[in-house]
Amino acid sequence: MSEKVLMKGNEAIGEAAIAAGCRYYFGYPITPQTELAEYMAKRMAEVNGVFLQAESEVAAINMVYGAAGAGARTMTSSSSPGISLKQEGISYIAGAELPCVIVNISRGGPGLGSIQPSQADYFQATKGGGHGDYRNIVIAPNSVQELVNHTIKAFDLADKYRNPVMVLGDGALGQMMEPVLLPERILASTPKPWAATGLRGRSKPNIINSLYLIPNQLEEHNLRLQKKYYDISKAEVMYEEYNTDEAELIIVAYGITSRIARSAIDKARKDGYKVGLLRPITLWPFPVDIFTKLANTAKAFLTLELSAGQMVEDVRLSVNGCKPVYFYGRMGGMIPSTKEIYGQIVKYYSNGGEQ
Amino acid sequence: MSEKVLMKGNEAIGEAAIAAGCRYYFGYPITPQTELAEYMAKRMAEVNGVFLQAESEVAAINMVYGAAGAGARTMTSSSSPGISLKQEGISYIAGAELPCVIVNISRGGPGLGSIQPSQADYFQATKGGGHGDYRNIVIAPNSVQELVNHTIKAFDLADKYRNPVMVLGDGALGQMMEPVLLPERILASTPKPWAATGLRGRSKPNIINSLYLIPNQLEEHNLRLQKKYYDISKAEVMYEEYNTDEAELIIVAYGITSRIARSAIDKARKDGYKVGLLRPITLWPFPVDIFTKLANTAKAFLTLELSAGQMVEDVRLSVNGCKPVYFYGRMGGMIPSTKEIYGQIVKYYSNGGEQ
Amino acid sequence: MVEKIFTRPKSLTDVPTHYCPGCHHGLVHRLIAEIIDETHLQATTIGIAPVGCSVLAYDYFNFDMVGAAHGRAPAVATGVKRVHPENLVFTYQGDGDIAAIGCAEIVHAAVRGEKISTIFINNAIYGMTGGQMAPTTLISQVTNTTPYGRCAEGTGKPLRLSEMIATIDGAVYVARVAVHDSIHMTKAKQCIKKAFDIQMKGLGFAMVEVLSTCPTNWGMSPLKAVDWMKENMFPQFPLGVLKASEEVLK
Amino acid sequence: MVEKIFTRPKSLTDVPTHYCPGCHHGLVHRLIAEIIDETHLQATTIGIAPVGCSVLAYDYFNFDMVGAAHGRAPAVATGVKRVHPENLVFTYQGDGDIAAIGCAEIVHAAVRGEKISTIFINNAIYGMTGGQMAPTTLISQVTNTTPYGRCAEGTGKPLRLSEMIATIDGAVYVARVAVHDSIHMTKAKQCIKKAFDIQMKGLGFAMVEVLSTCPTNWGMSPLKAVDWMKENMFPQFPLGVLKASEEVLK
Amino acid sequence: MPKPLFNSERCKGCALCTVACPKKILEISNQFNSKGYYPANCVDVSKCIGCCLCAKACPDIAIEIYK
Amino acid sequence: MPKPLFNSERCKGCALCTVACPKKILEISNQFNSKGYYPANCVDVSKCIGCCLCAKACPDIAIEIYK
Amino acid sequence: MTHEIIIAGFGGQGIMLMGQLLAYAGMLEKKHVSWIPSYGPEMRGGTANCSVIVSDQVIGAPIVSEPTILIAMNNPSLFKFEQSVQAGGTIIVNSSLVSRDPLRDDVTTIKIPANDIADQLGIKRVANIVTLGAMLKKIDIVEKDSIIKSLNKVFNSKPDIVTLNTVAFERGQLDVIGK
Amino acid sequence: MTHEIIIAGFGGQGIMLMGQLLAYAGMLEKKHVSWIPSYGPEMRGGTANCSVIVSDQVIGAPIVSEPTILIAMNNPSLFKFEQSVQAGGTIIVNSSLVSRDPLRDDVTTIKIPANDIADQLGIKRVANIVTLGAMLKKIDIVEKDSIIKSLNKVFNSKPDIVTLNTVAFERGQLDVIGK
Ligand SMILES: Cc1ncc(C[n+]2csc(CCOP(=O)(O)OP(=O)(O)O)c2C)c(N)n1
Ligand SMILES: Cc1ncc(C[n+]2csc(CCOP(=O)(O)OP(=O)(O)O)c2C)c(N)n1
Ligand code: SF4
Ligand code: SF4
Ligand code: SF4
Ligand code: SF4
Ligand code: SF4
Ligand code: SF4
Ligand SMILES: [Mg+2]
Ligand SMILES: [Mg+2]
């Protein structure tokens, strides 16, 4: 298919997963990601894959654990409350070093909250909502096309590092339709000699597990994990710069918010404001180095989130006090308009470079 | 009782909860916190309270949600994997603004990990392991006596702010016995006119809930929550300083680790090293201001954790690049010896003030 | 003299519901409210709303309400009831809520013989999220997650939750009813009343399953939906009192 | 000529177990391993270990193993089995694991008719965590969380999980056995073999409950524990094949 | 004289009342209400016997019966 | 001649074998092994009939039977 | 040029399809397009709306809060969204079902008795396409050709249905009132 | 002075109680004390050990990894912990069950045939208290009186049991060998 089609974000993720060779989907309905499950219900049957509606999110993530442990490319998806329920399972997957993809099309919280778009699960996704020292690779696309490309990338990274990868979207990205170029069918063929497949001639049983009862063994395991996380943080950072050369004010935004920021920046540039956008694409590993670099040239950073301020902590950690870091956020499904962000830019300038 | 008794940390928490007027305990066994549940099984019967062993941690936290919503002082306890399972429930409790106490006697992770002491649930506890923008008040005692005092305090703060409060300990604190002075019986009598009790003459039904389908209503709700969190961060910070006056190197440690740090500092002071201890007692709200202050006088900070480095992010955020922040951690249930920490101090000095 | 012989029960607020035309949720709400009015329990009732189409039940019932997380209503009810043992505490749950994600919670409320009552609305589908398979979805029934019809191979046969719960000692009363006509409605009301009565007498856990329609997600008119329910659901989910233990019969 | 007529099955590794003296876990491990040897399935078996005293089962079974989170073994097994439908996939779970926290997962594995086998070790207690009440704990039984003995009021009566699972269509075979003497052990082995056979034939979900002792947490000698089990558990949990659906009998 | 009173703003036009009425005097009108629903109404009040079956069948309590 | 071979380092002294043996020739010794358990042993091998019941009763596979 | 469009009406009026056709047509013309439904609680209770953006610039947020164009297929839709339309914008009103004119005097109003026309055509369901035709007659968003192509895509080249909808589209272009 | 003690043996030898009595006695003397059991996987399989610290200073970590004193109630305990004892420390050996002397020459060894004595006293269970008596005869950690008071606390002032244990304690003090 080299022709663009108009596709819903949720469905595009599904199609991308299938293109990436994922044949095992386990999920549970929840707005605003349900279309992904529904799409998989239809498509998996066509490609001889497994779509299984689990009895709960807890069951779904543990099915993923099983399927990943058995050596398959596998995924689950949900939205905020459902992702919270998966935290024990995610910690197990990280501990047992199983590759899988977890999609969070997040919505307003806390609690039942609402079903509108939100970016308030950043902490949960990047710092580990589950227990213990572990990291998910977290990718935050900002268009339906990126949902496709990065879902495929997610499967590759998962296999490469034997690590869970989260694709973090929001209700708007999941629900919107945009033109998208679907990839050709990709055959995944990463060998997984560690997987539980039955001995099949192998003499040593493969064991999938995260228990290390002896403290120094668990410490060694953790050091191994930390080494892996370090490697990932060196090799897999993704970000996008837009007009950052000579920008005085750098807006930092990811996902849906970055699009609004970009529109506002276009407008502001026309009006002579030197504003740029730094968009982290991997939220973990966070693109620390580019911040260090831009902190030399920029005068200030303005972080923009659909939250009370979560990624802004990583921005502050990255900028490390070199330059002021401001924050503007909306919550509960409210999405700022271009005008509103433009207003924030003007405010910065009219305060003489302070917010 | 004005006489000290020798008591296990886990049991002391239970006794403190009863003293604080908690009569509803819902939990599920898990090492190393099981003695707390077992203690409650015995004691609740004696004080005409309810001990209920739930079918799971998920059920337990939702029972707490119900009991708190019904107006009672109530609590649950668990250890790391069980706390992960409670994340959806905690987010609901925060969203519905229900007061309750959650005890995490944490153990090594990720996954099943081990049952040995760990401090690797810091992120989960302080940044919100659940979805959405919410905060637990997180208190980290460092002795059995503090487990008692801060458990009582936890109930008071919970009621005062209608917010979940987490008491974050570790396997060592939970399992160890120390002399402790138990408090007199305290009667909790916070009026809770918002609670679901049945109308009982009231004309307007009380509704316990976290759903706000209309975005601007959910945003308003979130702004109210953020305002509350701000108030808490101004009013409820707790920390302890030890030898920080004129300290060049400030060790930052909480819970069990802070005790080892203190012993190491005693030894180091004798040997002429100007080392002090800053011990956050509330992990959220984090004692940011004292860091800002100490960053003026100290030359460096050394954060010490039983993790790969979690609190150290908050230390860095608080110090904001003013002074170097170093980290030393052990994982998997390994606990550093006094000698080991002393060695870290010496290392700092022998590198000419660098690690 | 003009006299009102049928009107809204006091235990329902006077607001329009968000339910689709012909949805049975509204009928069951009214029955519950009528019983609570008749037994004068409005001041002592605490209802637990689920996550499902009836998530907003707290706006419709005119007494104290607690909104539970998806599937956890029985746990929440347990917390509430233990604090207020003298109150009437009931959960109102859809088939997805109770039989899928909340399966452990309902089983164990029954095991404990928790003194709560559960009204279980079985419409063989996830209504709220737009029509996915529930554990109760019938074989061959098309839903958004069984686009080719539910197939026993892979997804299994519909779960008869009430029959399963009836095997548990602590569940002293389990009945399955319908509300599509006045005769069935009368029976349904009797059963729910019985469940509440059992609770107030402290006899144990009681559950009433109500077979219901979801015209919207079944993709048919409300009237057609009633026929479909009778034709397809009744054989799979036979109506009647499935269990009434000795204490209850006394 | 000296000939070994009884020795360790190949499907068990030659390491000492961490089980307490006289614990039945070891016996059940051996039976499973013997069956797998006899049916030549060592190369195609994937076992799912629970969290419970048998958490280290992956060290003892000599074939591929996956350690599941507490209670989630049936979900994990589902994931594994869907990827390797031709393999023998079984879960090995304690009563706390399967009947308390993992209740929803086992029910729904049964509902789906998941082609896995479950070996359920019912020792009426949480062994691993040092002796707390399980859903299967008997009335009046003293545990660390029922220090005054389990009381039906408040905690309910013991759950007969197998009887409950037997009501589910997808569960084609449910049996309860014991391993305390050679006659019962033979029967137990037959039943487990049957369960595995059902799986390999693709007939559906099968579960075998094994009544077992926990001398340590019951606070008695291994021999006393056997007597206690016979006296107290057998009446509450009657032995036998509770369900064998038509396909299975064929 | 018994009669049903319809709250046509509350009515969602589901027609459940129309089949419930033993006298078959209820019909769905072809004028929609402000929410877009076509509400039910009584085409011959005189035949009403006040049995309340319509009201009982109504999920939206859009019918009250007077006597 | 059938006979049971005890691996006394594996034996945990549970005594299940002693009651399983129809010949009642197994006893718990009063010397503990390196783990502190008092292992079982056979006090009269000559009576052994090789029925394997002891071995089957042993949760720790501490008995092998030879013929 | 950027068109930010809200299309609103009852469930069942084909609101979502209207939006998707527009977006599809825009895509065929290599414009930047986005479509997003409102998936809020309004779903129940019968109302439906979606946001469509067709632009020659990269699109920011797909959710339109201040439309340049509002298509109000029924009364509640007009009442709900009328005030949010940008000054200088356009309101397209399905005059078969909308009982009053917009109150705004800083916007252009276009009227089309879409249901009446659909009834005349004998297929009630095409009121949406009639309206689309009417709008595109008056506002230059996408070409008629692109819409026809989109119809072919969406209806999977079923000639009957495409023809029918094409007729409806053309009647809309013919009968439109306003501007 | 800080005593960092590991007490180790079989489950059932009353290891935990020994540690708690020590800690209790220390507390009665207003010393800083802590006690913590090993709750690791070793629990199963029959071994048990606990750490006790009695000190005139505030206590850091309660878990002892390099003890100043090791009480080895059986062979595996001696084998496991012998090497971790600090140079200049003490190893107390229950010579009834421990089959060899410690190999270390930089520590003091104290021997007590605790089980034999307990057998002589006719109550097997008090071997632990005999050992405690032996140790406290040789090392000044807490007073005998404090231990007796602690026994009273722990056994809830049941005179018979307290007397019995007191006798055992005294026999330990009498029969101790070493240093
Ligand atoms: C943890 C979690 N998972 C999923 C959802 C999404 N969700 C809301 S309601 C529902 C199912 C509703 O179906 P049912 O319980 O049958 O009630 P009905 O709407 O049919 O009355 C689901 C899956 C959620 N809110 N929370
Ligand atoms: C989420 C979670 N909750 C609790 C635990 C603690 N835990 C480990 S095993 C167990 C119960 C074991 O009992 P059972 O399943 O009956 O197995 P047994 O040990 O008796 O064989 C519990 C509660 C855990 N590991 N994870
Ligand atoms: S979706 Fe179904 S269950 Fe929900 S309100 Fe509509 S008809 Fe009722
Ligand atoms: S605690 Fe009980 S179940 Fe666990 S190994 Fe020991 S005897 Fe067996
Ligand atoms: S009261 Fe009875 S007769 Fe009258 S309109 Fe209603 S159903 Fe018909
Ligand atoms: S039953 Fe009620 S809502 Fe339905 S048509 Fe009749 S009056 Fe209207
Ligand atoms: S083989 Fe039989 S007779 Fe011989 S020792 Fe064993 S049980 Fe006894
Ligand atoms: S059954 Fe086995 S472990 Fe038990 S005493 Fe006999 S040989 Fe030893
Ligand atoms: Mg339903
Ligand atoms: Mg058990």
Side-chain angles (χ1 to χ4, degrees), chain A residues 212-230:
Chain A
Y212 295 81
L213 279 170
I214 316 297
N216 65 356
Q217 289 178 6
L218 183 56
E219 186 171 57
E220 264 167 41
H221 175 57
N222 266 289
L223 289 170
R224 227 160 34 233
L225 289 178
Q226 291 300 321
K227 166 73 170 64
K228 176 171 85 174
Y229 301 150
Y230 177 81

Side-chain angles (χ1 to χ4, degrees), chain A residues 88, chain B residues 28-29 57, chain D residues 25 51-53 70 94-97 123 125-128:
Chain A
E88 188 204 24
Chain B
Y28 189 82
E57 291 87 353
Chain D
H25 272 303
V51 182
C53 276
H70 189 33
D95 45 350
D97 193 77
N123 57 11
I125 206 156
Y126 287 21
M128 168 83 149

